[in-house]
């Protein structure tokens, strides 16, 4: 994972946690089967990775068209290449976080809403050590 600062740690669930998860899943299917089937249909990360790969491919194709427009002095071809490149970059940027699985979590493991905020009002991520310690405490305090 060179170039990626994101580390994912998988922790196996205890038998009790697995039973609770199964009960929650059954209750979800009973309460809202349409939502449960839409959640179950596919891995969001896989879809986001495909969009990220498509974005990278569009950037390369757009670059080739842009260079082709510069070689054969054609302004419309160059503009088209730039637009394709820009669209691919936008697709990649918009799907990067979902594709890599990076999720911002607050101090209690809740998404967003952290009280510690960095530049631009965005929540700062806790160091990995602190997040693992917090997860350990929550798991064994129950």
């Amino acid at each position: 994972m060179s170039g990626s600062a994101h580390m994912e740690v998988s922790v196996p669930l205890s038998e009790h946690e697995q039973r609770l998860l199964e009960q929650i899943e059954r209750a979800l299917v009973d309460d809202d089967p349409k939502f449960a089937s839409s959640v179950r249909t596919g891995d969001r990360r896989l879809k986001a990775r495909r969009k990220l790969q498509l974005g990278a491919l569009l950037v390369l194709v757009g670059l080739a068209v842009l260079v082709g427009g510069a070689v054969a002095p054609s302004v419309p071809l160059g503009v088209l290449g730039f637009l394709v490149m820009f669209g691919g970059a936008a697709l990649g940027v918009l799907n990067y976080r979902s594709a890599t699985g990076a999720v911002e979590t607050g101090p209690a493991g809740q998404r967003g809403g952290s009280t510690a905020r960095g530049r631009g009002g965005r929540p700062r991520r806790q160091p990995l050590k602190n997040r693992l310690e917090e997860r350990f405490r929550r798991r064994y305090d129950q």
Side-chain angles (χ1 to χ4, degrees):
M1 291 179 84
S2 65
S4 176
H6 172 71
M7 284 185 57
E8 189 170 317
V9 178
S10 71
V11 178
L13 298 175
S14 68
E15 289 180 28
H16 175 69
E17 291 169 331
Q18 287 177 351
R19 283 192 305 268
L20 285 174
L21 183 60
E22 288 171 4
Q23 289 174 355
I24 291 170
E25 287 174 350
R26 275 186 255 130
L28 176 63
V29 170
D30 292 343
D31 290 345
D32 195 353
K34 186 176 179 183
F35 174 72
S37 68
S38 71
V39 169
R40 215 183 294 142
T41 56
D43 184 16
R44 288 183 184 162
R45 276 194 205 162
L46 182 62
K47 291 178 183 177
R49 281 188 194 128
R50 286 188 182 142
K51 288 182 180 178
L52 187 64
Q53 290 169 347
L54 177 63
L57 181 67
L58 284 174
V59 166
L60 292 175
V61 168
L63 183 63
V65 172
L66 181 67
V67 169
V71 170
S74 172
V75 173
L77 193 60
V79 169
L80 178 67
F82 174 77
L83 291 176
V84 170
M85 223 170 67
F86 183 76
L91 189 64
V93 167
L94 292 174
N95 288 290
Y96 177 76
R97 181 166 291 174
S98 299
T100 58
V103 176
E104 290 185 17
T105 58
Q110 300 165 342
R111 291 182 180 193
S114 174
T115 55
R117 297 200 176 262
R119 276 189 249 156
R122 291 179 54 194
R124 281 186 291 195
R125 290 193 60 172
Q126 294 179 329
L128 178 63
K129 178 184 170 201
N130 293 352
R131 291 185 310 223
L132 290 174
E133 287 174 353
E134 181 65 29
R135 184 184 297 171
F136 179 83
R137 281 192 210 103
R138 277 186 283 135
R139 188 169 184 176
Y140 288 100
D141 285 345
Q142 294 177 350

